[in-house]
Amino acid sequence: MPTARLDQSAIDRLNLQGLSCLIANRKRARRLARLALAAATALRYERGIAYAQVNQLWLAYYSGNAEQAEPMYQPLHARFEACGDLEGSMAIEVVLGAYASRSGDFVLAEGHFGHARALAAHLPDSLHKFMLHTRLGIDALNRGELRSGPRNFLLALDIAERFGTAAHRVNSLSNLASLQHDLGNDEDAIPLLYEALDLIGEEPLPHQSAMVSANLAMCLLASGKAREALALVEPFYDDGDDDVAVRAFVYCIAAHASILVGQLDAAQRLLLRAQAFALLGRDLGEQMHAWLVKGTLDLARGEPGAALEAFGNAHAMLGVTRFPFYEQQIYQGLATVNARLGKWETAYGFLRQHQVLFEASSKSARDSRLLMRKLEREMRKLKEERDRALELQAVRESENQKLEHLNRELAHQIMHVNSLQDSLKEQAIRDHLTGLYNRRHFEACLNAILQESNGAFPVTVVILDLDFFKAINDNYGHACGDAALVQFARLVEGQLRGSDMLCRYGGEEFCLLLREADCAAAANKMAEVASRYRQLTIRQGAHTLSGCTFSAGIAEYPRHGASGHELLMRADGALYAAKQAGRDRVLVAG
C-alpha cells in the first residue's frame, strides 16, 4: 500500500488494526505499525505518529526489549497532550505500567496505572480500555493481589465481546483461568481454558493456542497428569512466537512435566531454553518459575546441594513477584531438600510455611468461586440491562437517551468499584495522620529497589526522630503533637526529589529512602532539613512552637548492609548514637 496515498483517517484505521493484531498476529501488527508510522511521518500527522509508536512499544514489550520504553514516554505524552487525545494519553500510561509491573517496580507501575484509570473514567469502551483492564489484571497477578484480578479480566472480556476478535476473547478467558488456578480454583479454571480452546478450533490463533495450552498443562500438572500436560505443550517447542514470556512459560511447563515422567535429559534442555527466554524478556515471574523447575530437576537427579541453591534463588524472588501456586511449590521444595540434607528443623519450618500457604490457598479457592459467581451475576445483570436498551434503540431511535443513561450507569458502577478498591488499597499503605506511606509499604519498596540496584547504585536510608516529642504532647497536648508531626512531614516532603520516599515509621519516627544517593548526600540533605525545621513555627490553638530539632541515623547500601532489614538496623543504631550524644545531630552508621 503506497503510504503517500494515505490520509489521516486511513492512518487511524491502520493504527487500530495494528492494535487489534497485537493479541493474535504480531508479525502483521509490526508491519502495520511501520506502515502507519511512515505514512504519518510523511504527512506530519502527530496523532498518527504517536499511536504507531504506542503499538511499537507493545511489540517491544512482547519481544522483551525494555530499553526503548522510558525514553519514549515524555515525547509520546507531549504529543498526545498537544493533540488533546485522552485515549492516547491513557494508552501510553498502560504500556509503561506493563513494563514496570513485569520488572517488579510496582510503585512505578501503580503510578502509571493510576493515571490510566483516571483518564479511562472519561472515555468510552475501546480496545485501548481492553488493554488497560487486561494489564491491571496481570499486574494484580504479578503482585500476588489476586482479588482485584477477576473483575478486571471480566471487564476486559466484556469489551472483547463487543469490540474485539476471537483472539481478544481467548486472551481474556486464558487470563481468567490462570488467575483462578493461582487461587487454587481449578474447578473454574479448566472449563474456561476448554472454552478458549473451542474458540481457537474455530479459527487459526497460533499465539493463543500456545498460551492456552500451557495454562491448561499447568492445571493438569497440579492434578498429577504430567503426561497429558507434556502432550499439550510439545507442539509449541519451535513455533517461533515472538512473545518471549509465553515461550519461557511453555518451556518451564514442558521441563517440569518431563521431570515428572522421568525424562531428565530432555527436561534439562527445555529448562535451558526457558531460562534464556525468561532472561531475555526480563520476566521476573518466569525467572522464578525456572529456578523452581531447576530445583525440582536437581532433586530428581539426586543433587540436593544444587537443588537447595535453586529453590533458594526462587525463594529470594518472592520479594519482588508473587504467584501463590509457585510459592507453595517453592516452600514444599525447600522442605523436601532440607530433609534430604538432614536439616530436619529447617525442613520442618518450611513445611509449616507450606501448610499455611496450602490452607490459605484452599480458603482463597472457596472465596474465588464465590467471588466469580458474584461477579458473573453482576456482569450478567449489567449486560442484560445494556442488551435490553440496545433492543429498544433498534425499535425506537427516540429512546437513545435511555441507552446513554444505562451506559453511564454502567461506567459509574465500574468507576465506583474501582474507586473503592483504590481507596482501600491506598488506606492500607498510608498513615492516616500525615498521609505518608506507612512502615509496611516502605519496607516492601525498599526491598524492591535493593533488588533492582543489585549493587549498581547506592541506596541510602535515614531514620529521623523528633527530639523531646513526648514533652510536646505532655505540655501542650496531643493536638499540638499531631500538628508538629504533620508540619514536619510537609517540610521534609518539600525537600525531596521525585525518586525519594518518606514514610512515618512509628510514633515520632520517620524513615527516608534516597535512591542513587550516598551517605554524604544524605547528610547534606538532613543538614538542610534540620536548618529549615529550626526556623519553622508550629501553631496549634494558643500554643506556638519554634526552634525544634531532630536526630537522625544514616545507613547506605551496599556499604552498611546487603538487605533492607540490615540497613534499617544500622540506621537505627546510628540514630540511637545520635540521641545518646545529645540529640540535634545526624550520624552515619559506623
Side-chain angles (χ1 to χ4, degrees):
M1 184 186 297
T3 58
R5 299 179 184 176
L6 298 177
D7 60 12
Q8 291 186 0
S9 61
I11 293 169
D12 288 342
R13 287 194 296 273
L14 280 178
N15 279 324
L16 187 58
Q17 290 168 11
L19 176 66
S20 181
C21 289
L22 283 173
I23 298 297
N25 190 342
R26 299 211 176 100
K27 289 182 180 178
R28 185 162 185 258
R30 188 171 286 107
R31 184 172 63 83
L32 289 169
R34 285 197 299 264
L35 186 61
L37 184 59
T41 303
L43 204 61
R44 295 183 180 179
Y45 177 31
E46 293 296 312
R47 183 174 180 273
I49 292 171
Y51 273 109
Q53 290 179 329
V54 168
N55 286 347
Q56 287 185 330
L57 275 179
W58 276 120
L59 289 163
Y61 170 85
Y62 289 120
S63 61
N65 181 8
E67 284 75 13
Q68 62 179 286
E70 283 294 341
M72 290 180 69
Y73 172 66
Q74 290 298 340
L76 273 175
H77 199 271
R79 270 197 166 110
F80 284 124
E81 278 200 340
C83 300
D85 193 315
L86 294 183
E87 187 166 55
S89 296
M90 178 191 72
I92 187 62
E93 297 290 354
V94 174
V95 68
L96 267 293
Y99 273 97
S101 179
R102 188 169 69 180
S103 67
D105 191 342
F106 297 127
V107 175
L108 180 60
E110 177 57 30
H112 286 303
F113 286 139
H115 288 309
R117 281 194 297 266
L119 292 166
H122 305 286
L123 296 168
D125 287 344
S126 66
L127 286 182
H128 284 293
K129 286 185 78 170
F130 167 86
M131 298 296 281
L132 168 63
H133 289 300
T134 297
R135 301 321 304 187
L136 287 172
I138 292 172
D139 180 63
L141 268 173
N142 289 341
R143 293 169 183 266
E145 298 174 1
L146 303 180
R147 293 192 63 82
S148 62
R151 186 177 298 276
N152 280 297
F153 286 145
L154 282 171
L155 289 170
L157 179 60
D158 177 56
I159 294 173
E161 289 172 346
R162 289 181 288 130
F163 298 98
T165 64
H168 294 91
R169 296 195 296 276
V170 167
N171 181 269
S172 296
L173 289 168
S174 182
N175 285 332
L176 265 173
S178 180
L179 178 62
Q180 294 308 310
H181 171 74
D182 278 344
L183 286 164
N185 182 17
D186 285 343
E187 179 182 323
D188 282 328
I190 291 174
L192 287 168
L193 292 168
Y194 278 119
E195 183 180 347
L197 287 175
D198 287 342
L199 284 171
I200 291 170
E202 296 172 6
E203 53 185 286
L205 297 169
H207 169 70
Q208 272 70 28
S209 187
M211 177 179 64
V212 173
S213 297
N215 276 333
L216 183 55
M218 181 169 61
C219 294
L220 293 175
L221 276 180
S223 59
K225 299 176 180 178
R227 292 191 184 279
E228 292 91 329
L230 190 58
L232 273 172
V233 294
E234 279 178 336
F236 306 103
Y237 287 176
D238 299 303
D239 70 340
D241 193 319
D242 63 353
D243 188 333
V244 291
V246 171
R247 298 195 74 180
F249 181 49
V250 166
Y251 284 124
C252 272
I253 294 294
H256 199 167
S258 296
I259 295 167
L260 297 180
V261 300
Q263 299 175 9
L264 302 188
D265 290 339
Q268 176 65 29
R269 292 192 297 272
L270 292 164
L271 178 58
L272 289 173
R273 292 186 181 184
Q275 290 172 319
F277 282 116
L279 288 171
L280 177 62
R282 301 183 182 184
D283 191 310
L284 298 181
E286 286 311 308
Q287 289 176 35
M288 179 176 69
H289 191 184
W291 282 118
L292 167 62
V293 174
K294 186 180 187 305
T296 306
L297 177 60
D298 291 335
L299 267 181
R301 285 179 159 172
E303 300 173 4
L308 181 61
E309 181 182 358
F311 285 129
N313 287 335
H315 181 262
M317 298 189 76
L318 289 173
V320 290
T321 184
R322 307 188 79 87
F323 289 86
F325 178 65
Y326 297 158
E327 192 174 9
Q328 284 186 57
Q329 291 187 312
I330 289 168
Y331 280 110
Q332 187 176 41
L334 284 167
T336 302
V337 73
N338 276 285
R340 292 265 185 96
L341 293 168
K343 300 177 180 179
W344 302 108
E345 186 173 343
T346 303
Y348 179 66
F350 283 122
L351 189 61
R352 288 187 62 184
Q353 289 175 287
H354 171 264
Q355 182 62 27
V356 169
L357 290 171
F358 177 79
E359 290 173 0
S361 175
S362 299
K363 182 179 184 302
S364 70
R366 292 192 299 272
D367 292 346
S368 173
R369 284 191 287 272
L370 293 173
L371 178 61
M372 281 293 289
R373 300 294 90 77
K374 179 183 177 183
L375 291 174
E376 286 168 357
R377 286 194 299 272
E378 287 181 13
M379 295 299 294
R380 192 181 306 115
K381 181 179 178 182
L382 291 172
K383 288 179 183 178
E384 288 171 357
E385 290 177 0
R386 187 177 60 219
D387 290 344
R388 281 197 298 271
L390 287 169
E391 289 173 7
L392 289 171
Q393 183 190 38
V395 176
R396 295 180 298 171
E397 281 294 324
S398 62
E399 297 205 7
N400 264 339
Q401 291 183 350
K402 183 177 180 180
L403 172 64
E404 291 170 2
H405 173 73
L406 286 170
N407 280 333
R408 283 196 300 271
E409 211 37 47
L410 172 61
H412 175 75
Q413 288 185 42
I414 293 169
M415 283 175 56
H416 180 63
V417 170
N418 287 338
S419 174
L420 286 175
Q421 288 180 338
D422 290 346
S423 175
L424 289 172
K425 186 184 295 184
E426 192 69 5
Q427 289 174 29
I429 63 173
R430 293 281 184 181
D431 169 56
H432 73 281
L433 175 64
T434 62
L436 300 177
Y437 289 117
N438 60 26
R439 177 172 182 168
R440 179 180 178 186
H441 184 68
F442 178 90
E443 291 177 352
C445 293
L446 172 60
N447 289 331
I449 290 173
L450 294 183
Q451 177 81 17
E452 178 190 350
S453 168
N454 197 24
F457 55 82
V459 179
T460 300
V461 169
V462 185
I463 299 181
L464 309 94
D465 185 286
L466 303 188
D467 293 333
F468 306 108
F469 182 78
K470 185 176 183 302
I472 295 175
N473 279 337
D474 291 343
N475 295 330
Y476 304 107
H478 288 280
C480 194
D482 288 349
L485 292 170
V486 171
Q487 292 190 42
F488 179 76
R490 299 293 84 79
L491 170 68
V492 179
E493 278 184 320
Q495 307 304 308
L496 300 183
R497 304 168 298 171
S499 60
D500 299 335
M501 182 179 183
L502 178 67
C503 89
R504 186 179 178 192
Y505 206 55
E508 66 270 27
E509 286 190 344
F510 296 81
C511 201
L512 180 60
L513 173 61
L514 300 173
R515 181 190 176 104
E516 298 185 32
D518 58 17
C519 287
N524 289 337
K525 176 67 70 178
M526 290 303 98
E528 182 180 351
V529 172
S531 174
R532 291 176 180 270
Y533 189 44
R534 289 189 195 96
Q535 299 169 23
L536 180 67
T537 299
I538 300 169
R539 294 182 175 86
Q540 175 62 37
H543 303 299
T544 300
L545 298 175
S546 61
C548 298
T549 63
F550 64 85
S551 305
I554 299 175
E556 176 186 332
Y557 167 84
R559 175 179 165 189
H560 295 122
S563 69
H565 176 73
E566 191 173 355
L567 280 179
L568 291 168
M569 291 292 290
R570 296 296 298 278
D572 192 57
L575 169 62
Y576 180 79
K579 296 187 83 66
Q580 289 296 305
R583 296 182 173 84
D584 188 19
R585 66 198 65 219
V586 178
L587 294 182
V588 176

